[in-house]
Amino acid sequence: MTMELNLHGEAHAVANILALEQMLQEARALAQCELWLTMATDAEQGPALCMLRNGGNAWLMYLSGQDDLSFHSLGDEEADGVCSYLLANGQVDEYPEAWCVDAEHCQRALADFFRMGGARPAVIAWEAD
């Protein structure tokens, strides 16, 4: 099974878990990034998992592809405030800190997504959008 990993606007074919781990290592070296891991060339056709990261803060979005259902990660629901993220197109978006989870935890979820063929990773607490 091959998936497409798009790291801050640059697409890469990922054919195995070792190739995914190498790409995730590259993502770790970036201070901020937008990363998409998809089964289809169009992320909206899903399933797709997106990680936005700014330093140690990161959050995930899961698109099922079968319907319009999407989910975002849940971190500390008591967290107040927002965190900003630099998107691949240069835009800066803000999302609630309550959605943030540890960046390493997000990367484990990306590996699970790959291993499970695009299923929503159970290692993350999710909330429907």
Side-chain angles (χ1 to χ4, degrees):
M1 160 190 50
T2 299
M3 289 190 184
E4 181 178 286
L5 185 141
N6 188 305
L7 177 57
H8 219 63
E10 192 172 311
H12 305 271
V14 177
N16 56 52
I17 197 69
L18 180 59
L20 176 63
E21 290 294 337
Q22 289 172 339
M23 291 304 305
L24 293 178
Q25 189 65 28
E26 285 186 35
R28 285 182 188 98
L30 301 172
Q32 295 190 58
C33 71
E34 175 182 356
L35 184 150
W36 286 87
L37 185 57
T38 62
M39 299 269 310
T41 54
D42 179 359
E44 291 186 14
Q45 293 177 358
L49 190 60
C50 174
M51 177 182 75
L52 296 181
R53 185 175 62 77
N54 182 351
N57 288 327
W59 73 278
L60 293 169
M61 176 177 49
Y62 177 82
L63 304 173
S64 67
Q66 268 58 29
D67 44 40
D68 291 333
L69 280 181
S70 64
F71 299 84
H72 63 263
S73 56
L74 275 179
D76 178 4
E77 294 181 67
E78 304 286 319
D80 199 17
V82 296
C83 186
S84 62
Y85 298 92
L86 176 65
L87 305 183
N89 65 5
Q91 179 177 319
V92 175
D93 283 355
E94 292 183 336
Y95 295 95
E97 283 191 37
W99 294 6
C100 292
V101 293
D102 180 71
E104 289 300 315
H105 198 66
C106 286
Q107 292 201 345
R108 284 193 301 275
L110 286 157
D112 284 354
F113 176 83
F114 183 86
R115 285 187 194 101
M116 298 183 314
R120 187 166 30 113
V123 297
I124 298 290
W126 297 97
E127 180 175 73
D129 291 321

